[in-house]
Amino acid sequence: MKKHLFIGILMFSFVRIFGQEINDTRFENIVNNLKLDKAAIREEFCTEKKMPNVEDSYIAVLPILQGKSEEDFFVVRNYIVITDENGGIKNQYLDPEEITSDAIMLKSITIDTGLYNISSSIRAFGIKISVANGSQPNPYSSETISLYYPVEKTLKKVLNDLELSRYGAEWDTRCTGESEGNSSVIMMDKTKTNNFTDLKIKTISVKTISKEAQGDCKENKISKTFCRILKFKDGKYQ
């Protein structure tokens, strides 16, 4: 159990240290072009990534505060833009989804430019949101992904907050307790719905029960694998 908790903490530390940073010049130009108040931006979570399939194009995410905030207690909405090398805006989109950081704290925002070829002419990209609490006896963490693609001068959101991973546990901080973790991957299926590729979601779920016996910590793991299909209906995957 200790090992699982340590890995979870290390994972989030790695993201914060080696996360996708944003170029200073592009950041300043995005702020000016969108006429944003810098005081309302949580700059530590700003990120960008080069679009691998489009020349001179960068995806950037700027979390915008909604109302008053404190150090770890705040609400943001993501301004997602595609810019040229100088920060000129090609596409802009203010995501309606609010991200709340309170007892479950926002840890990172990252951009995923994987091969999300959702139609013959559309390659989407993902925005991943990672959160976690600070509890040692009851640790919790989760990562979700939303998918977008450019349409004219804005973006279209086609997948909203699909959970890619989740970990939760209740234990005595030494050995005895239970934990459960899920990990999912998105695969492009061979079938289509409304001319959009169906998404096959493969999930591995692992439940671990730990007990102390004769001075050792014994673990019993139960693993399950299951799949489900998301189809494109009414403008989004569901």
Side-chain angles (χ1 to χ4, degrees), residues 181-205:
N182 294 333
S183 178
S184 299
V185 294
I186 301 175
M187 297 178 287
M188 302 295 108
D189 202 36
K190 295 180 180 180
T191 58
K192 292 187 176 184
T193 303
N194 297 319
N195 295 319
F196 279 79
T197 304
D198 294 341
L199 303 182
K200 184 176 182 179
I201 312 301
K202 180 180 179 181
T203 302
I204 299 175
S205 176

mmCIF file with all atom_site columns, all heavy atoms in Angstrom, residues 181-205:
data_model
loop_
_atom_site.group_PDB
_atom_site.id
_atom_site.type_symbol
_atom_site.label_atom_id
_atom_site.label_alt_id
_atom_site.label_comp_id
_atom_site.label_asym_id
_atom_site.label_entity_id
_atom_site.label_seq_id
_atom_site.pdbx_PDB_ins_code
_atom_site.Cartn_x
_atom_site.Cartn_y
_atom_site.Cartn_z
_atom_site.occupancy
_atom_site.B_iso_or_equiv
_atom_site.pdbx_formal_charge
_atom_site.auth_seq_id
_atom_site.auth_comp_id
_atom_site.auth_asym_id
_atom_site.auth_atom_id
_atom_site.pdbx_PDB_model_num
ATOM 1   N N   . GLY A 1 181 ? -7.851  1.309  -8.052  1.00 0.00 ? 181 GLY A N   1
ATOM 2   C CA  . GLY A 1 181 ? -7.374  2.187  -9.108  1.00 0.00 ? 181 GLY A CA  1
ATOM 3   C C   . GLY A 1 181 ? -7.876  1.752  -10.467 1.00 0.00 ? 181 GLY A C   1
ATOM 4   O O   . GLY A 1 181 ? -7.938  0.554  -10.757 1.00 0.00 ? 181 GLY A O   1
ATOM 5   N N   . ASN A 1 182 ? -8.252  2.727  -11.285 1.00 0.00 ? 182 ASN A N   1
ATOM 6   C CA  . ASN A 1 182 ? -8.677  2.466  -12.659 1.00 0.00 ? 182 ASN A CA  1
ATOM 7   C C   . ASN A 1 182 ? -7.763  3.211  -13.622 1.00 0.00 ? 182 ASN A C   1
ATOM 8   O O   . ASN A 1 182 ? -7.365  4.353  -13.354 1.00 0.00 ? 182 ASN A O   1
ATOM 9   C CB  . ASN A 1 182 ? -10.115 2.921  -12.896 1.00 0.00 ? 182 ASN A CB  1
ATOM 10  C CG  . ASN A 1 182 ? -11.122 2.115  -12.107 1.00 0.00 ? 182 ASN A CG  1
ATOM 11  O OD1 . ASN A 1 182 ? -10.873 0.962  -11.777 1.00 0.00 ? 182 ASN A OD1 1
ATOM 12  N ND2 . ASN A 1 182 ? -12.260 2.713  -11.783 1.00 0.00 ? 182 ASN A ND2 1
ATOM 13  N N   . SER A 1 183 ? -7.443  2.580  -14.730 1.00 0.00 ? 183 SER A N   1
ATOM 14  C CA  . SER A 1 183 ? -6.634  3.216  -15.768 1.00 0.00 ? 183 SER A CA  1
ATOM 15  C C   . SER A 1 183 ? -7.246  2.907  -17.126 1.00 0.00 ? 183 SER A C   1
ATOM 16  O O   . SER A 1 183 ? -7.485  1.733  -17.445 1.00 0.00 ? 183 SER A O   1
ATOM 17  C CB  . SER A 1 183 ? -5.187  2.702  -15.708 1.00 0.00 ? 183 SER A CB  1
ATOM 18  O OG  . SER A 1 183 ? -4.406  3.271  -16.728 1.00 0.00 ? 183 SER A OG  1
ATOM 19  N N   . SER A 1 184 ? -7.494  3.959  -17.923 1.00 0.00 ? 184 SER A N   1
ATOM 20  C CA  . SER A 1 184 ? -8.161  3.780  -19.216 1.00 0.00 ? 184 SER A CA  1
ATOM 21  C C   . SER A 1 184 ? -7.325  4.345  -20.355 1.00 0.00 ? 184 SER A C   1
ATOM 22  O O   . SER A 1 184 ? -6.563  5.304  -20.166 1.00 0.00 ? 184 SER A O   1
ATOM 23  C CB  . SER A 1 184 ? -9.539  4.467  -19.216 1.00 0.00 ? 184 SER A CB  1
ATOM 24  O OG  . SER A 1 184 ? -10.388 3.923  -18.233 1.00 0.00 ? 184 SER A OG  1
ATOM 25  N N   . VAL A 1 185 ? -7.496  3.770  -21.529 1.00 0.00 ? 185 VAL A N   1
ATOM 26  C CA  . VAL A 1 185 ? -6.861  4.274  -22.748 1.00 0.00 ? 185 VAL A CA  1
ATOM 27  C C   . VAL A 1 185 ? -7.933  4.435  -23.814 1.00 0.00 ? 185 VAL A C   1
ATOM 28  O O   . VAL A 1 185 ? -8.936  3.702  -23.830 1.00 0.00 ? 185 VAL A O   1
ATOM 29  C CB  . VAL A 1 185 ? -5.732  3.355  -23.256 1.00 0.00 ? 185 VAL A CB  1
ATOM 30  C CG1 . VAL A 1 185 ? -4.571  3.337  -22.276 1.00 0.00 ? 185 VAL A CG1 1
ATOM 31  C CG2 . VAL A 1 185 ? -6.250  1.939  -23.498 1.00 0.00 ? 185 VAL A CG2 1
ATOM 32  N N   . ILE A 1 186 ? -7.736  5.403  -24.710 1.00 0.00 ? 186 ILE A N   1
ATOM 33  C CA  . ILE A 1 186 ? -8.657  5.650  -25.822 1.00 0.00 ? 186 ILE A CA  1
ATOM 34  C C   . ILE A 1 186 ? -8.063  5.050  -27.088 1.00 0.00 ? 186 ILE A C   1
ATOM 35  O O   . ILE A 1 186 ? -6.917  5.339  -27.450 1.00 0.00 ? 186 ILE A O   1
ATOM 36  C CB  . ILE A 1 186 ? -8.886  7.158  -26.025 1.00 0.00 ? 186 ILE A CB  1
ATOM 37  C CG1 . ILE A 1 186 ? -9.448  7.790  -24.754 1.00 0.00 ? 186 ILE A CG1 1
ATOM 38  C CG2 . ILE A 1 186 ? -9.827  7.401  -27.200 1.00 0.00 ? 186 ILE A CG2 1
ATOM 39  C CD1 . ILE A 1 186 ? -9.575  9.305  -24.844 1.00 0.00 ? 186 ILE A CD1 1
ATOM 40  N N   . MET A 1 187 ? -8.848  4.232  -27.767 1.00 0.00 ? 187 MET A N   1
ATOM 41  C CA  . MET A 1 187 ? -8.410  3.639  -29.028 1.00 0.00 ? 187 MET A CA  1
ATOM 42  C C   . MET A 1 187 ? -9.424  3.969  -30.130 1.00 0.00 ? 187 MET A C   1
ATOM 43  O O   . MET A 1 187 ? -10.618 4.030  -29.869 1.00 0.00 ? 187 MET A O   1
ATOM 44  C CB  . MET A 1 187 ? -8.272  2.121  -28.878 1.00 0.00 ? 187 MET A CB  1
ATOM 45  C CG  . MET A 1 187 ? -7.213  1.697  -27.864 1.00 0.00 ? 187 MET A CG  1
ATOM 46  S SD  . MET A 1 187 ? -7.106  -0.102 -27.652 1.00 0.00 ? 187 MET A SD  1
ATOM 47  C CE  . MET A 1 187 ? -8.604  -0.416 -26.728 1.00 0.00 ? 187 MET A CE  1
ATOM 48  N N   . MET A 1 188 ? -8.906  4.208  -31.325 1.00 0.00 ? 188 MET A N   1
ATOM 49  C CA  . MET A 1 188 ? -9.782  4.451  -32.462 1.00 0.00 ? 188 MET A CA  1
ATOM 50  C C   . MET A 1 188 ? -10.349 3.112  -32.956 1.00 0.00 ? 188 MET A C   1
ATOM 51  O O   . MET A 1 188 ? -9.586  2.217  -33.331 1.00 0.00 ? 188 MET A O   1
ATOM 52  C CB  . MET A 1 188 ? -9.014  5.134  -33.604 1.00 0.00 ? 188 MET A CB  1
ATOM 53  C CG  . MET A 1 188 ? -8.371  6.466  -33.231 1.00 0.00 ? 188 MET A CG  1
ATOM 54  S SD  . MET A 1 188 ? -9.544  7.778  -32.796 1.00 0.00 ? 188 MET A SD  1
ATOM 55  C CE  . MET A 1 188 ? -9.274  7.853  -31.014 1.00 0.00 ? 188 MET A CE  1
ATOM 56  N N   . ASP A 1 189 ? -11.668 2.981  -32.919 1.00 0.00 ? 189 ASP A N   1
ATOM 57  C CA  . ASP A 1 189 ? -12.296 1.727  -33.325 1.00 0.00 ? 189 ASP A CA  1
ATOM 58  C C   . ASP A 1 189 ? -12.392 1.656  -34.854 1.00 0.00 ? 189 ASP A C   1
ATOM 59  O O   . ASP A 1 189 ? -12.157 2.648  -35.560 1.00 0.00 ? 189 ASP A O   1
ATOM 60  C CB  . ASP A 1 189 ? -13.682 1.621  -32.687 1.00 0.00 ? 189 ASP A CB  1
ATOM 61  C CG  . ASP A 1 189 ? -14.164 0.190  -32.603 1.00 0.00 ? 189 ASP A CG  1
ATOM 62  O OD1 . ASP A 1 189 ? -13.339 -0.703 -32.361 1.00 0.00 ? 189 ASP A OD1 1
ATOM 63  O OD2 . ASP A 1 189 ? -15.377 -0.034 -32.785 1.00 0.00 ? 189 ASP A OD2 1
ATOM 64  N N   . LYS A 1 190 ? -12.767 0.486  -35.367 1.00 0.00 ? 190 LYS A N   1
ATOM 65  C CA  . LYS A 1 190 ? -12.903 0.312  -36.814 1.00 0.00 ? 190 LYS A CA  1
ATOM 66  C C   . LYS A 1 190 ? -14.250 0.804  -37.318 1.00 0.00 ? 190 LYS A C   1
ATOM 67  O O   . LYS A 1 190 ? -14.433 0.993  -38.519 1.00 0.00 ? 190 LYS A O   1
ATOM 68  C CB  . LYS A 1 190 ? -12.723 -1.173 -37.174 1.00 0.00 ? 190 LYS A CB  1
ATOM 69  C CG  . LYS A 1 190 ? -11.320 -1.698 -36.895 1.00 0.00 ? 190 LYS A CG  1
ATOM 70  C CD  . LYS A 1 190 ? -11.211 -3.170 -37.273 1.00 0.00 ? 190 LYS A CD  1
ATOM 71  C CE  . LYS A 1 190 ? -9.805  -3.693 -36.986 1.00 0.00 ? 190 LYS A CE  1
ATOM 72  N NZ  . LYS A 1 190 ? -9.678  -5.132 -37.340 1.00 0.00 ? 190 LYS A NZ  1
ATOM 73  N N   . THR A 1 191 ? -15.199 0.990  -36.420 1.00 0.00 ? 191 THR A N   1
ATOM 74  C CA  . THR A 1 191 ? -16.542 1.403  -36.813 1.00 0.00 ? 191 THR A CA  1
ATOM 75  C C   . THR A 1 191 ? -16.707 2.914  -36.713 1.00 0.00 ? 191 THR A C   1
ATOM 76  O O   . THR A 1 191 ? -15.927 3.605  -36.047 1.00 0.00 ? 191 THR A O   1
ATOM 77  C CB  . THR A 1 191 ? -17.595 0.717  -35.927 1.00 0.00 ? 191 THR A CB  1
ATOM 78  O OG1 . THR A 1 191 ? -17.334 1.065  -34.550 1.00 0.00 ? 191 THR A OG1 1
ATOM 79  C CG2 . THR A 1 191 ? -17.515 -0.798 -36.071 1.00 0.00 ? 191 THR A CG2 1
ATOM 80  N N   . LYS A 1 192 ? -17.748 3.422  -37.382 1.00 0.00 ? 192 LYS A N   1
ATOM 81  C CA  . LYS A 1 192 ? -18.039 4.856  -37.370 1.00 0.00 ? 192 LYS A CA  1
ATOM 82  C C   . LYS A 1 192 ? -19.510 5.098  -37.084 1.00 0.00 ? 192 LYS A C   1
ATOM 83  O O   . LYS A 1 192 ? -20.362 4.254  -37.373 1.00 0.00 ? 192 LYS A O   1
ATOM 84  C CB  . LYS A 1 192 ? -17.671 5.503  -38.709 1.00 0.00 ? 192 LYS A CB  1
ATOM 85  C CG  . LYS A 1 192 ? -16.172 5.552  -39.003 1.00 0.00 ? 192 LYS A CG  1
ATOM 86  C CD  . LYS A 1 192 ? -15.894 6.363  -40.255 1.00 0.00 ? 192 LYS A CD  1
ATOM 87  C CE  . LYS A 1 192 ? -14.391 6.487  -40.498 1.00 0.00 ? 192 LYS A CE  1
ATOM 88  N NZ  . LYS A 1 192 ? -14.087 7.346  -41.669 1.00 0.00 ? 192 LYS A NZ  1
ATOM 89  N N   . THR A 1 193 ? -19.793 6.269  -36.523 1.00 0.00 ? 193 THR A N   1
ATOM 90  C CA  . THR A 1 193 ? -21.167 6.722  -36.309 1.00 0.00 ? 193 THR A CA  1
ATOM 91  C C   . THR A 1 193 ? -21.264 8.166  -36.771 1.00 0.00 ? 193 THR A C   1
ATOM 92  O O   . THR A 1 193 ? -20.474 9.013  -36.330 1.00 0.00 ? 193 THR A O   1
ATOM 93  C CB  . THR A 1 193 ? -21.555 6.624  -34.822 1.00 0.00 ? 193 THR A CB  1
ATOM 94  O OG1 . THR A 1 193 ? -21.390 5.267  -34.369 1.00 0.00 ? 193 THR A OG1 1
ATOM 95  C CG2 . THR A 1 193 ? -22.999 7.062  -34.613 1.00 0.00 ? 193 THR A CG2 1
ATOM 96  N N   . ASN A 1 194 ? -22.171 8.450  -37.687 1.00 0.00 ? 194 ASN A N   1
ATOM 97  C CA  . ASN A 1 194 ? -22.315 9.810  -38.239 1.00 0.00 ? 194 ASN A CA  1
ATOM 98  C C   . ASN A 1 194 ? -21.003 10.337 -38.817 1.00 0.00 ? 194 ASN A C   1
ATOM 99  O O   . ASN A 1 194 ? -20.648 11.509 -38.648 1.00 0.00 ? 194 ASN A O   1
ATOM 100 C CB  . ASN A 1 194 ? -22.851 10.762 -37.166 1.00 0.00 ? 194 ASN A CB  1
ATOM 101 C CG  . ASN A 1 194 ? -24.239 10.380 -36.700 1.00 0.00 ? 194 ASN A CG  1
ATOM 102 O OD1 . ASN A 1 194 ? -25.082 10.001 -37.496 1.00 0.00 ? 194 ASN A OD1 1
ATOM 103 N ND2 . ASN A 1 194 ? -24.479 10.472 -35.397 1.00 0.00 ? 194 ASN A ND2 1
ATOM 104 N N   . ASN A 1 195 ? -20.263 9.449  -39.478 1.00 0.00 ? 195 ASN A N   1
ATOM 105 C CA  . ASN A 1 195 ? -18.987 9.767  -40.144 1.00 0.00 ? 195 ASN A CA  1
ATOM 106 C C   . ASN A 1 195 ? -17.849 10.079 -39.177 1.00 0.00 ? 195 ASN A C   1
ATOM 107 O O   . ASN A 1 195 ? -16.794 10.552 -39.605 1.00 0.00 ? 195 ASN A O   1
ATOM 108 C CB  . ASN A 1 195 ? -19.155 10.928 -41.137 1.00 0.00 ? 195 ASN A CB  1
ATOM 109 C CG  . ASN A 1 195 ? -20.074 10.574 -42.288 1.00 0.00 ? 195 ASN A CG  1
ATOM 110 O OD1 . ASN A 1 195 ? -20.016 9.463  -42.825 1.00 0.00 ? 195 ASN A OD1 1
ATOM 111 N ND2 . ASN A 1 195 ? -20.938 11.507 -42.655 1.00 0.00 ? 195 ASN A ND2 1
ATOM 112 N N   . PHE A 1 196 ? -18.040 9.834  -37.891 1.00 0.00 ? 196 PHE A N   1
ATOM 113 C CA  . PHE A 1 196 ? -16.972 10.003 -36.905 1.00 0.00 ? 196 PHE A CA  1
ATOM 114 C C   . PHE A 1 196 ? -16.570 8.638  -36.352 1.00 0.00 ? 196 PHE A C   1
ATOM 115 O O   . PHE A 1 196 ? -17.427 7.793  -36.068 1.00 0.00 ? 196 PHE A O   1
ATOM 116 C CB  . PHE A 1 196 ? -17.418 10.911 -35.752 1.00 0.00 ? 196 PHE A CB  1
ATOM 117 C CG  . PHE A 1 196 ? -17.325 12.380 -36.066 1.00 0.00 ? 196 PHE A CG  1
ATOM 118 C CD1 . PHE A 1 196 ? -18.302 12.997 -36.839 1.00 0.00 ? 196 PHE A CD1 1
ATOM 119 C CD2 . PHE A 1 196 ? -16.263 13.144 -35.603 1.00 0.00 ? 196 PHE A CD2 1
ATOM 120 C CE1 . PHE A 1 196 ? -18.223 14.350 -37.132 1.00 0.00 ? 196 PHE A CE1 1
ATOM 121 C CE2 . PHE A 1 196 ? -16.173 14.498 -35.899 1.00 0.00 ? 196 PHE A CE2 1
ATOM 122 C CZ  . PHE A 1 196 ? -17.150 15.102 -36.664 1.00 0.00 ? 196 PHE A CZ  1
ATOM 123 N N   . THR A 1 197 ? -15.274 8.443  -36.189 1.00 0.00 ? 197 THR A N   1
ATOM 124 C CA  . THR A 1 197 ? -14.748 7.178  -35.684 1.00 0.00 ? 197 THR A CA  1
ATOM 125 C C   . THR A 1 197 ? -15.228 6.921  -34.253 1.00 0.00 ? 197 THR A C   1
ATOM 126 O O   . THR A 1 197 ? -15.144 7.806  -33.401 1.00 0.00 ? 197 THR A O   1
ATOM 127 C CB  . THR A 1 197 ? -13.207 7.205  -35.707 1.00 0.00 ? 197 THR A CB  1
ATOM 128 O OG1 . THR A 1 197 ? -12.757 7.484  -37.029 1.00 0.00 ? 197 THR A OG1 1
ATOM 129 C CG2 . THR A 1 197 ? -12.622 5.878  -35.237 1.00 0.00 ? 197 THR A CG2 1
ATOM 130 N N   . ASP A 1 198 ? -15.729 5.730  -34.012 1.00 0.00 ? 198 ASP A N   1
ATOM 131 C CA  . ASP A 1 198 ? -16.110 5.368  -32.650 1.00 0.00 ? 198 ASP A CA  1
ATOM 132 C C   . ASP A 1 198 ? -14.861 5.256  -31.773 1.00 0.00 ? 198 ASP A C   1
ATOM 133 O O   . ASP A 1 198 ? -13.781 4.864  -32.246 1.00 0.00 ? 198 ASP A O   1
ATOM 134 C CB  . ASP A 1 198 ? -16.844 4.025  -32.637 1.00 0.00 ? 198 ASP A CB  1
ATOM 135 C CG  . ASP A 1 198 ? -18.194 4.086  -33.344 1.00 0.00 ? 198 ASP A CG  1
ATOM 136 O OD1 . ASP A 1 198 ? -18.716 5.204  -33.518 1.00 0.00 ? 198 ASP A OD1 1
ATOM 137 O OD2 . ASP A 1 198 ? -18.710 3.017  -33.718 1.00 0.00 ? 198 ASP A OD2 1
ATOM 138 N N   . LEU A 1 199 ? -15.011 5.614  -30.503 1.00 0.00 ? 199 LEU A N   1
ATOM 139 C CA  . LEU A 1 199 ? -13.900 5.532  -29.555 1.00 0.00 ? 199 LEU A CA  1
ATOM 140 C C   . LEU A 1 199 ? -14.069 4.312  -28.671 1.00 0.00 ? 199 LEU A C   1
ATOM 141 O O   . LEU A 1 199 ? -15.105 4.146  -28.015 1.00 0.00 ? 199 LEU A O   1
ATOM 142 C CB  . LEU A 1 199 ? -13.845 6.794  -28.685 1.00 0.00 ? 199 LEU A CB  1
ATOM 143 C CG  . LEU A 1 199 ? -13.718 8.140  -29.397 1.00 0.00 ? 199 LEU A CG  1
ATOM 144 C CD1 . LEU A 1 199 ? -13.616 9.272  -28.376 1.00 0.00 ? 199 LEU A CD1 1
ATOM 145 C CD2 . LEU A 1 199 ? -12.521 8.158  -30.343 1.00 0.00 ? 199 LEU A CD2 1
ATOM 146 N N   . LYS A 1 200 ? -13.067 3.460  -28.660 1.00 0.00 ? 200 LYS A N   1
ATOM 147 C CA  . LYS A 1 200 ? -13.076 2.281  -27.791 1.00 0.00 ? 200 LYS A CA  1
ATOM 148 C C   . LYS A 1 200 ? -12.292 2.609  -26.524 1.00 0.00 ? 200 LYS A C   1
ATOM 149 O O   . LYS A 1 200 ? -11.109 2.954  -26.594 1.00 0.00 ? 200 LYS A O   1
ATOM 150 C CB  . LYS A 1 200 ? -12.457 1.078  -28.506 1.00 0.00 ? 200 LYS A CB  1
ATOM 151 C CG  . LYS A 1 200 ? -12.524 -0.220 -27.698 1.00 0.00 ? 200 LYS A CG  1
ATOM 152 C CD  . LYS A 1 200 ? -11.969 -1.383 -28.511 1.00 0.00 ? 200 LYS A CD  1
ATOM 153 C CE  . LYS A 1 200 ? -12.076 -2.687 -27.754 1.00 0.00 ? 200 LYS A CE  1
ATOM 154 N NZ  . LYS A 1 200 ? -11.550 -3.835 -28.545 1.00 0.00 ? 200 LYS A NZ  1
ATOM 155 N N   . ILE A 1 201 ? -12.946 2.519  -25.375 1.00 0.00 ? 201 ILE A N   1
ATOM 156 C CA  . ILE A 1 201 ? -12.303 2.846  -24.103 1.00 0.00 ? 201 ILE A CA  1
ATOM 157 C C   . ILE A 1 201 ? -12.006 1.541  -23.374 1.00 0.00 ? 201 ILE A C   1
ATOM 158 O O   . ILE A 1 201 ? -12.923 0.815  -22.966 1.00 0.00 ? 201 ILE A O   1
ATOM 159 C CB  . ILE A 1 201 ? -13.215 3.741  -23.228 1.00 0.00 ? 201 ILE A CB  1
ATOM 160 C CG1 . ILE A 1 201 ? -13.786 4.901  -24.048 1.00 0.00 ? 201 ILE A CG1 1
ATOM 161 C CG2 . ILE A 1 201 ? -12.436 4.230  -22.010 1.00 0.00 ? 201 ILE A CG2 1
ATOM 162 C CD1 . ILE A 1 201 ? -12.752 5.809  -24.672 1.00 0.00 ? 201 ILE A CD1 1
ATOM 163 N N   . LYS A 1 202 ? -10.722 1.248  -23.218 1.00 0.00 ? 202 LYS A N   1
ATOM 164 C CA  . LYS A 1 202 ? -10.299 0.046  -22.495 1.00 0.00 ? 202 LYS A CA  1
ATOM 165 C C   . LYS A 1 202 ? -9.864  0.447  -21.090 1.00 0.00 ? 202 LYS A C   1
ATOM 166 O O   . LYS A 1 202 ? -9.001  1.305  -20.923 1.00 0.00 ? 202 LYS A O   1
ATOM 167 C CB  . LYS A 1 202 ? -9.144  -0.644 -23.226 1.00 0.00 ? 202 LYS A CB  1
ATOM 168 C CG  . LYS A 1 202 ? -8.658  -1.917 -22.532 1.00 0.00 ? 202 LYS A CG  1
ATOM 169 C CD  . LYS A 1 202 ? -7.507  -2.557 -23.303 1.00 0.00 ? 202 LYS A CD  1
ATOM 170 C CE  . LYS A 1 202 ? -7.001  -3.811 -22.599 1.00 0.00 ? 202 LYS A CE  1
ATOM 171 N NZ  . LYS A 1 202 ? -5.862  -4.432 -23.344 1.00 0.00 ? 202 LYS A NZ  1
ATOM 172 N N   . THR A 1 203 ? -10.470 -0.191 -20.094 1.00 0.00 ? 203 THR A N   1
ATOM 173 C CA  . THR A 1 203 ? -10.199 0.154  -18.699 1.00 0.00 ? 203 THR A CA  1
ATOM 174 C C   . THR A 1 203 ? -9.707  -1.065 -17.927 1.00 0.00 ? 203 THR A C   1
ATOM 175 O O   . THR A 1 203 ? -10.285 -2.156 -18.035 1.00 0.00 ? 203 THR A O   1
ATOM 176 C CB  . THR A 1 203 ? -11.473 0.698  -18.016 1.00 0.00 ? 203 THR A CB  1
ATOM 177 O OG1 . THR A 1 203 ? -11.933 1.847  -18.731 1.00 0.00 ? 203 THR A OG1 1
ATOM 178 C CG2 . THR A 1 203 ? -11.200 1.076  -16.567 1.00 0.00 ? 203 THR A CG2 1
ATOM 179 N N   . ILE A 1 204 ? -8.642  -0.856 -17.158 1.00 0.00 ? 204 ILE A N   1
ATOM 180 C CA  . ILE A 1 204 ? -8.137  -1.879 -16.240 1.00 0.00 ? 204 ILE A CA  1
ATOM 181 C C   . ILE A 1 204 ? -8.393  -1.388 -14.825 1.00 0.00 ? 204 ILE A C   1
ATOM 182 O O   . ILE A 1 204 ? -7.965  -0.289 -14.451 1.00 0.00 ? 204 ILE A O   1
ATOM 183 C CB  . ILE A 1 204 ? -6.635  -2.145 -16.451 1.00 0.00 ? 204 ILE A CB  1
ATOM 184 C CG1 . ILE A 1 204 ? -6.373  -2.649 -17.869 1.00 0.00 ? 204 ILE A CG1 1
ATOM 185 C CG2 . ILE A 1 204 ? -6.118  -3.154 -15.427 1.00 0.00 ? 204 ILE A CG2 1
ATOM 186 C CD1 . ILE A 1 204 ? -4.904  -2.818 -18.200 1.00 0.00 ? 204 ILE A CD1 1
ATOM 187 N N   . SER A 1 205 ? -9.107  -2.183 -14.050 1.00 0.00 ? 205 SER A N   1
ATOM 188 C CA  . SER A 1 205 ? -9.436  -1.840 -12.665 1.00 0.00 ? 205 SER A CA  1
ATOM 189 C C   . SER A 1 205 ? -8.736  -2.816 -11.729 1.00 0.00 ? 205 SER A C   1
ATOM 190 O O   . SER A 1 205 ? -8.816  -4.042 -11.923 1.00 0.00 ? 205 SER A O   1
ATOM 191 C CB  . SER A 1 205 ? -10.954 -1.906 -12.449 1.00 0.00 ? 205 SER A CB  1
ATOM 192 O OG  . SER A 1 205 ? -11.283 -1.660 -11.098 1.00 0.00 ? 205 SER A OG  1
#
